[in-house]
Amino acid sequence: MAGVETAAKICEAGGDGLIFPATTSEYKWPDGLRAILYGVGLIYFFLGVAIVADIFMGAIEMVTSRRVQTRDANGRIRTSMLWNETVATLSLMALGSSAPEIFLSVIDIIKKEFHFGALGPSTIVGSAAFNLLVIIAVCVAVIPEGEVRIIENRPAFYITAAFSLGAYLWMAFILTESSPDTVDVWEGIAT
């Protein structure tokens, strides 16, 4: 359409992004050089995420492996786990695996001055959809012919299903009914 102005892409003259372009003349660099530099940057950041994930997993193992000793009615000392296995699995692992999406959503909301942006919610929904559909599909596909698998920890499964459904309904309510296209502070705190 003639006369319609579109914003410049990040990689073009006048383009603007959160981090890139690193310099005002970056769009003049050869595409191959920029691809190599961005690739090296991605590898560097993925290694950083891997290191942080290892540290996080070690911390989760340390926290969830704590045991407490108590005396029962007969005077015997009983050793038990401090954390419930279901609570540890659902809360700590969910927080650790969703932290990048949550931070990206927070950055998107702040950058858009608390107005709805597609990046944050799309990232969270896309990650959840991937976890729900692709990971489950792979888990089902790798079961050898003639074998059956049973969910052993059903309470964790039921809790996960209920909270997932609740989270989707809450997000739909906030973004379409409560305050369309705007995330209010109370909604962010409640979430």
Side-chain angles (χ1 to χ4, degrees):
M1 275 168 60
V4 175
E5 246 182 75
T6 58
K9 295 181 182 178
I10 292 174
C11 57
E12 296 175 349
D16 187 28
L18 187 62
I19 297 174
F20 294 109
T23 69
T24 56
S25 64
E26 185 176 318
Y27 70 94
K28 296 177 185 176
W29 299 355
D31 288 344
L33 173 65
R34 288 194 307 186
I36 291 170
L37 291 175
Y38 291 168
V40 168
L42 277 174
I43 291 169
Y44 176 78
F45 287 118
F46 277 124
L47 286 173
V49 168
I51 291 168
V52 170
D54 282 346
I55 293 169
F56 181 75
M57 286 304 298
I60 286 178
E61 288 173 9
M62 182 179 288
V63 168
T64 57
S65 66
R66 277 193 72 194
R67 298 176 185 273
V68 292
Q69 292 184 337
T70 56
R71 288 198 184 272
D72 63 7
N74 298 330
R76 295 183 187 153
I77 295 177
R78 298 207 179 257
T79 303
S80 60
M81 301 294 287
L82 179 64
W83 278 73
N84 178 314
E85 182 181 343
T86 303
V87 172
T89 301
L90 294 179
S91 59
L92 297 176
M93 286 304 294
L95 177 64
S97 65
S98 298
E101 290 91 356
I102 292 168
F103 286 130
L104 185 61
S105 181
V106 168
I107 289 169
D108 186 46
I109 294 271
I110 291 171
K111 186 175 179 189
K112 295 192 183 310
E113 298 175 354
F114 291 91
H115 288 274
F116 172 70
L119 180 63
S122 298
T123 303
I124 292 172
V125 171
S127 172
F130 180 85
N131 290 344
L132 180 66
L133 302 173
V134 176
I135 293 176
I136 291 175
V138 169
C139 290
V140 169
V142 298
I143 296 174
E145 183 84 27
E147 289 188 22
V148 176
R149 298 291 189 268
I150 298 172
I151 298 173
E152 292 179 6
N153 194 354
R154 287 194 182 179
F157 174 76
Y158 296 142
I159 291 169
T160 302
F163 276 97
S164 296
L165 181 62
Y168 280 118
L169 292 174
W170 175 248
M171 188 172 77
F173 171 75
I174 286 175
L175 298 177
T176 60
E177 301 297 325
S178 174
S179 54
D181 297 337
T182 303
V183 178
D184 293 331
V185 174
W186 76 267
E187 294 168 337
I189 291 170
T191 300

